[in-house]
Amino acid sequence: MRPPFTVGTRMFRRMFFIGLLFILACELGVTESRGQAPYPLLTMTNSQWRYEFSGSNLGTAWRATDYNDSAWASGRGVFALETDNQLVLQQTNTIMPLFNTNNERITTYYFRTHFLLTNNPFTVSLIFTNLVDDGMVLYLNGVEWQRVNMPPAPAPITYLTTTTAAIEAAYNTITMPGDLLQKGDNLLAVEVHNVNATSSDIVFGAALTATFPNPSSITITNDVVSQSVPEATRVTFSVGATGLPRYYQWFKNGQPIPDAAGPKYVIPVAYVTDSGTYWVTISNAVSIVQSAHVDLTVIGDTNRPTLISAEQFSSNQVLLTFSEAVETATATNVLNYLVTNTMGGLLPISGVTLQNGTNLLITTDPMTPGFNYVVVANGVRDVALQPNSIAPNSMIPVAVTVELLNEFNFYYFYNPFVTSDPPGPGDDNPDLGTSWREVDYAVNQARNDFWGDNEFERGIFYEGSGPFPGETGTALSSSKAPVVYFRTAAYFPGSLLGTRFTLEHLMEDGGLLYNNGQEVLRVNMPAGVSAWNTRASTGLLPQWKTVLGDAALNIQPGWNTICAELHSLSIPQTNMAFALRLKARVTSFPTGPLIITSQPSDQTILEGTPATFSFMAAGPQWFQWYLNGSPISGATNPTYSIPAVPIGMSGAQFSVMAWNNTSSLMSSNAVLTVLKDFNPPLLQSAFAVSSNQIVVSFSKTVDPVSATNTGNYFLTNGIGPSLLVQGATLTNGTNLILVVASGSGTKPYVLVVNNVKDTTPQENIIQPGSAVTVGLNIGIPIESVWKYNVSGTDLGTTWKGVAYDDGSWNAGAGLLYHEDAALPAAKSTELPLVGTSSGSPIVTYYFRQHLALPTGSTNAVMSLRHVID
């Protein structure tokens, strides 16, 4: 028997805890909802709404709380165009049209209004009463809240989505929790949809009432979880619960957190001192629950802020970006910065403005075009609890965007006039071979070769009626030769060090682009050799497309000869368009003294892995990399890469000589440390690809001698005879094919591997008895033939069913594409941009493929590897 004192102590503790719950409930106002009457937030006929009925697709921005709806019309509900519904007619205050000012049918109507909630939002529930014809989606404070007579979630709702049925407006009441409410101002946004494009009426009206439900038991549905985050990041704890009303109180290390009284607790910028144990209690008059106690670990920031980029924002402003949020006081101190050109001229700084945590704008005197400018930073600190200062004299070159080509550029063009197919007497010769695109080709109008020029006329070269995405310039002539040739020149004044190029092109229907005699871009054209009479793959709508290309564009410092051949789909040509824009983000102009702003860095890597050395500087045009003081043959690019580093290169020193016409500079040495690899190869997988072949995959490159030794492999199924391994062929460094005697495909074979080594000098050997179950590798190769539908029409949902008849669909091998840029696999089937049935730009493409699985799905793993835009 326990001593009476112990029993009495426990009884006292229980009574004290019950009393504490009661006191806590009273302090939190749990009894607030008792006796309170419902009150209206919105009324059906007296509340004021903003509404939009232009017939335009407003996307998703219109439903946001900060959206500016001041230009919208204003009116009171009910909003309607109705002929015979007396309930609606009696309450209509604002007449709505069915057509916009362009006499186009309105597909979707938009409404917005605000209302004030004076209570804790987690103590109320809402009664939403509506009149609608035919359906609507409600958004509360920017978040979807409810759907009425619309396709259920998660089906996306778009501007063209129709309702699930035609309904006549009648009172409909929905009771909803107030979880999306906030105390104070709230925004209700509504989009109203019709059942089809011929609907003869539109109705919308809404009333909203706040009610105070009787207390019900609280249950946590989504508990709080522990987190570990770097210092100065945002932390959000959240909890989900059912039951009303709900009063929240968050705790840290046992102490209540002031004003932390919602389902979420947010720490905007977490510091090491925020580490601790957190939980939340949720209570009302009949229950109290406590979440899990979870840990927040904030890892102290010991990294210095670094300079990421410096962009010339205007002639006298530089946009500077740091690697992390920086302290306002030190970041906006003008004395912490210098802006200098490489000629030694300092620019006075008149102001520094912090735009956000990491970006700031430095205002200086105007910068001289073509000069190299460098920003030097000192004393800037991050926002860590123990702030870290930027490295002394941190430097970065100021990048400048230079326009190399635009619609004003001068072009020679050859538009051969051909009246018959093939060309006949009197026709221009459309076949220029390949010499016309070379740098030294001479366009000689005096010899009557029919080259013309645009005389700097602005705009797009065009033929036909368009429409064209911009101002047209020089007209082309229709011809039975599907080709037009163009030549121009672009001067690149910068260095290739750190430069990024952006090309925008407009080619209808297709074409090829050459720079300095080398093909750099192919647009909507068949693969292989392109002749003068090769037609574009498909018809295109004229539109600008952007290509990011650095080395691929073959642009060199100085003059570049850019040539293009434009091809049409049809003969004679009906619509053609051509224009180019080319920009360069230049960090270095090859002039003046050199300044190295970032030296090559030391690297520590594992043997057999790649290494790349780089640096940053202002002023250089040419480069030569050195290994241990000796020049490396052919290493004349701004970076130097080694595909697989051997262990013998450990301790090697790499440096780079950079120079221009007037000066040169040698970088410091970067030391390469190569660690020995003591990791054995791992057996990753084995898949039967036929009745007598198994593909085996290892985690790293394996030694060919040990990997192809058939004695190192053993195949057993545990219930019958083993399979004899008859041969092993290494297909690449990590994969091999085992040839085995044919066995039963119904038995679960296991592959056991011994004695296979890697290719390191250590000759690491696979763990003895490494084993893996042999699976079936059944897949859809990237080049497989797919059924596809490009009609441009809405197929609903039936098309995705297994039994759907896709016999009338097109078929084509992957990659199925419409893309000018390079892709990670071969381009096979060109897709159109315009629907074959709709005649309009295609919004959605449909694809179907079958996969025969000769076994059950138990223990099967599906891996999806895709290329998609």
Side-chain angles (χ1 to χ4, degrees):
M1 177 180 293
R2 293 187 179 91
F5 178 79
T6 303
V7 174
T9 302
R10 291 195 173 196
M11 290 177 65
F12 170 76
R13 287 174 178 169
R14 280 200 195 99
M15 293 173 67
F16 174 77
F17 185 62
I18 293 170
L20 176 62
L21 289 185
F22 176 75
I23 294 170
L24 178 62
C26 291
E27 288 182 350
L28 294 177
V30 170
T31 59
E32 175 188 323
S33 64
R34 291 184 179 271
Q36 292 197 43
Y39 68 94
L41 302 173
L42 295 171
T43 61
M44 186 71 68
T45 58
N46 289 323
S47 294
Q48 199 78 9
W49 292 76
R50 291 280 189 175
Y51 62 98
E52 207 278 347
F53 58 93
S54 66
S56 303
N57 184 354
L58 300 188
T60 60
W62 68 276
R63 62 182 82 147
T65 55
D66 58 354
Y67 181 82
N68 184 5
D69 58 15
S70 60
W72 288 22
S74 178
R76 290 185 299 117
V78 169
F79 301 84
L81 182 67
E82 182 60 78
T83 57
D84 56 3
N85 187 323
Q86 293 303 313
L87 175 65
V88 172
L89 290 172
Q90 292 170 7
Q91 300 185 80
T92 298
N93 284 311
T94 306
I95 304 297
M96 301 299 291
L98 292 178
F99 298 87
N100 63 13
T101 54
N102 295 325
N103 201 34
E104 299 167 330
R105 174 73 68 162
I106 300 172
T107 302
T108 302
Y109 299 78
Y110 302 95
F111 300 88
R112 288 167 54 95
T113 193
H114 291 261
F115 62 88
L116 185 68
L117 180 73
T118 58
N119 294 82
N120 183 333
F122 309 107
T123 66
V124 301
S125 62
L126 301 174
I127 297 176
F128 179 72
T129 304
N130 62 83
L131 287 170
V132 66
D133 184 340
D134 289 295
M136 62 181 170
V137 184
L138 290 77
Y139 303 91
L140 185 56
N141 297 320
V143 180
E144 184 180 323
W145 190 32
Q146 187 72 27
R147 300 183 184 192
V148 176
N149 197 31
M150 298 292 292
I157 302 296
T158 69
Y159 175 73
L160 297 176
T161 302
T162 56
T163 61
T164 53
I167 60 173
E168 191 67 20
Y171 283 129
N172 178 39
T173 300
I174 306 170
T175 300
M176 298 179 288
D179 291 3
L180 295 179
L181 288 171
Q182 55 194 21
K183 192 170 184 178
D185 181 64
N186 291 264
L187 168 73
L188 180 61
V190 182
E191 56 182 282
V192 176
H193 296 249
N194 270 321
V195 67
N196 54 45
T198 61
S199 178
S200 60
D201 49 13
I202 164 70
V203 180
F204 169 66
L208 193 62
T209 302
T211 67
F212 299 90
N214 292 325
S216 58
S217 181
I218 296 172
T219 301
I220 290 179
T221 56
N222 297 94
D223 217 336
V224 190
V225 295
S226 295
Q227 299 184 51
S228 180
V229 299
E231 189 175 17
T233 57
R234 182 183 180 92
V235 173
T236 300
F237 288 110
S238 62
V239 66
T242 59
L244 285 174
R246 297 193 300 272
Y247 297 90
Y248 297 84
Q249 177 59 57
W250 289 87
F251 293 82
K252 176 191 176 186
N253 296 333
Q255 299 299 314
I257 303 171
D259 301 319
K264 291 184 179 180
Y265 175 58
V266 178
I267 307 173
V269 180
Y271 295 102
V272 174
T273 52
D274 290 308
S275 297
T277 301
Y278 290 78
W279 69 87
V280 62
T281 59
I282 314 171
S283 59
N284 61 24
V286 299
S287 67
I288 181 169
V289 296
Q290 190 175 110
S291 74
H293 290 215
V294 299
D295 294 323
L296 172 63
T297 304
V298 182
I299 302 169
D301 179 8
T302 58
N303 297 318
R304 297 176 182 265
T306 59
L307 297 173
I308 297 297
S309 65
E311 310 283 340
Q312 184 173 325
F313 190 73
S314 65
S315 63
N316 69 329
Q317 289 183 312
V318 176
L319 182 65
L320 192 64
T321 301
F322 291 89
S323 60
E324 58 180 312
V326 287
E327 184 183 74
T328 303
T330 57
T332 57
N333 185 349
V334 296
L335 299 180
N336 284 339
Y337 304 95
L338 293 175
V339 179
T340 179
N341 62 46
T342 55
M343 308 297 289
L346 285 175
L347 286 181
I349 299 175
S350 57
V352 180
T353 305
L354 193 64
Q355 294 193 317
N356 56 36
T358 58
N359 289 2
L360 57 85
L361 202 60
I362 301 176
T363 302
T364 68
D365 281 1
M367 288 172 272
T368 303
F371 274 41
N372 290 303
Y373 287 90
V374 173
V375 175
V376 183
N378 284 283
V380 179
R381 302 191 302 183
D382 62 19
V383 294
L385 186 64
Q386 297 180 338
N388 305 286
S389 294
I390 196 168
N393 293 320
S394 293
M395 293 186 289
I396 192 167
V398 177
V400 181
T401 298
V402 179
E403 195 170 55
L404 308 182
L405 285 178
N406 59 28
E407 291 95 327
F408 284 106
N409 272 80
F410 179 87
Y411 280 89
Y412 287 114
F413 69 99
Y414 179 46
N415 184 185
F417 184 72
V418 176
T419 59
S420 61
D421 184 17
D427 288 338
D428 295 336
N429 177 19
D431 187 2
L432 296 187
T434 60
S435 62
W436 68 276
R437 60 193 187 222
E438 298 300 329
V439 174
D440 56 358
Y441 180 81
V443 175
N444 184 1
Q445 290 176 289
R447 72 171 192 234
N448 197 29
D449 60 7
F450 299 106
W451 283 84
D453 65 70
N454 63 336
E455 298 180 341
F456 291 101
E457 184 176 17
R458 185 185 185 188
I460 300 165
F461 287 89
Y462 74 100
E463 194 277 316
S465 57
F468 300 104
E471 181 182 347
T472 55
T474 302
L476 301 173
S477 299
S478 180
S479 170
K480 288 194 174 181
V483 65
V484 182
Y485 303 91
F486 298 88
R487 285 177 60 93
T488 190
Y491 185 77
F492 173 49
S495 164
L496 293 177
L497 178 62
T499 296
R500 296 290 180 265
F501 296 101
T502 302
L503 172 70
E504 293 180 86
H505 63 83
L506 176 67
M507 294 190 189
E508 182 190 12
D509 290 307
L512 292 95
L513 191 67
Y514 306 90
N515 186 28
N516 300 320
Q518 173 183 312
E519 181 183 327
V520 295
L521 183 66
R522 184 172 290 234
V523 179
N524 195 32
M525 293 291 291
V529 177
S530 180
W532 70 269
N533 56 354
T534 302
R535 301 191 197 186
S537 298
T538 60
L540 284 185
L541 290 173
Q543 57 181 337
W544 286 100
K545 285 199 165 186
T546 301
V547 176
L548 302 177
D550 299 326
L553 293 177
N554 194 36
I555 296 173
Q556 303 299 321
W559 284 104
N560 293 260
T561 300
I562 297 178
C563 303
E565 53 185 85
L566 184 67
H567 291 256
S568 67
L569 174 65
S570 61
I571 294 178
Q573 306 156 358
T574 54
N575 279 288
M576 300 184 79
F578 172 77
L580 295 175
R581 298 170 183 158
L582 180 61
K583 294 180 180 179
R585 178 189 177 273
V586 181
T587 58
S588 174
F589 293 95
T591 182
L594 273 61
I595 296 179
I596 294 180
T597 60
S598 178
Q599 299 281 355
S601 300
D602 294 346
Q603 293 190 45
T604 300
I605 62 170
L606 202 64
E607 64 176 317
T609 58
T612 297
F613 291 93
S614 62
F615 79 115
M616 186 53 66
Q621 183 171 2
W622 300 289
F623 315 93
Q624 175 61 61
W625 286 90
Y626 287 75
L627 170 60
N628 296 329
S630 299
I632 304 171
S633 177
T636 56
N637 292 319
T639 61
Y640 176 64
S641 296
I642 308 169
V645 179
I647 189 67
M649 198 168 273
S650 188
Q653 297 183 352
F654 294 85
S655 58
V656 61
M657 169 75 77
W659 70 97
N660 58 29
N661 284 323
T662 59
S663 59
S664 63
L665 198 62
M666 177 68 83
S667 76
S668 61
N669 285 316
V671 179
L672 177 62
T673 301
V674 186
L675 304 178
K676 287 185 177 182
D677 180 5
F678 293 103
N679 299 315
L682 302 176
L683 178 60
Q684 290 187 319
S685 63
F687 289 100
V689 294
S690 69
S691 61
N692 70 332
Q693 287 189 325
I694 298 173
V695 174
V696 182
S697 177
F698 294 95
S699 62
K700 59 194 303 190
T701 303
V702 289
D703 165 56
V705 175
S706 63
T708 57
N709 184 346
T710 58
N712 289 338
Y713 303 95
F714 178 69
L715 273 164
T716 178
N717 58 43
I719 56 175
S722 301
L723 287 182
L724 176 65
V725 178
Q726 299 172 331
T729 304
L730 201 62
T731 57
N732 58 35
T734 60
N735 287 7
L736 59 85
I737 295 178
L738 294 181
V739 178
V740 300
S742 296
S744 172
T746 63
K747 297 176 181 178
Y749 284 96
V750 173
L751 173 67
V752 182
V753 180
N754 289 286
N755 301 320
V756 173
K757 306 175 183 178
D758 64 16
T759 55
T760 65
Q762 293 74 251
E763 295 186 335
N764 301 299
I765 302 176
I766 197 168
Q767 291 292 331
S770 294
V772 66
T773 300
V774 178
L776 296 175
N777 194 353
I778 304 166
I780 304 172
I782 199 76
E783 68 275 7
S784 291
V785 174
W786 287 74
K787 287 296 190 81
Y788 64 95
N789 182 295
V790 288
S791 63
T793 56
D794 185 357
L795 299 188
T797 60
T798 58
W799 69 274
K800 57 183 90 165
V802 175
Y804 180 83
D805 183 8
D806 57 18
S808 62
W809 286 25
N810 296 324
L815 293 176
L816 298 98
Y817 73 101
H818 191 99
E819 176 60 67
D820 304 325
L823 295 175
K827 299 176 182 179
S828 296
T829 304
E830 182 93 8
L831 299 174
L833 293 179
V834 178
T836 55
S837 297
S838 66
S840 302
I842 299 174
V843 176
T844 302
Y845 296 76
Y846 301 92
F847 302 89
R848 285 172 55 91
Q849 174 68 263
H850 288 270
L851 174 63
L853 191 64
T855 183
S857 60
T858 304
N859 296 326
V861 176
M862 173 171 280
S863 174
L864 175 67
R865 187 167 60 100
H866 62 273
V867 181
I868 192 167
D869 183 343

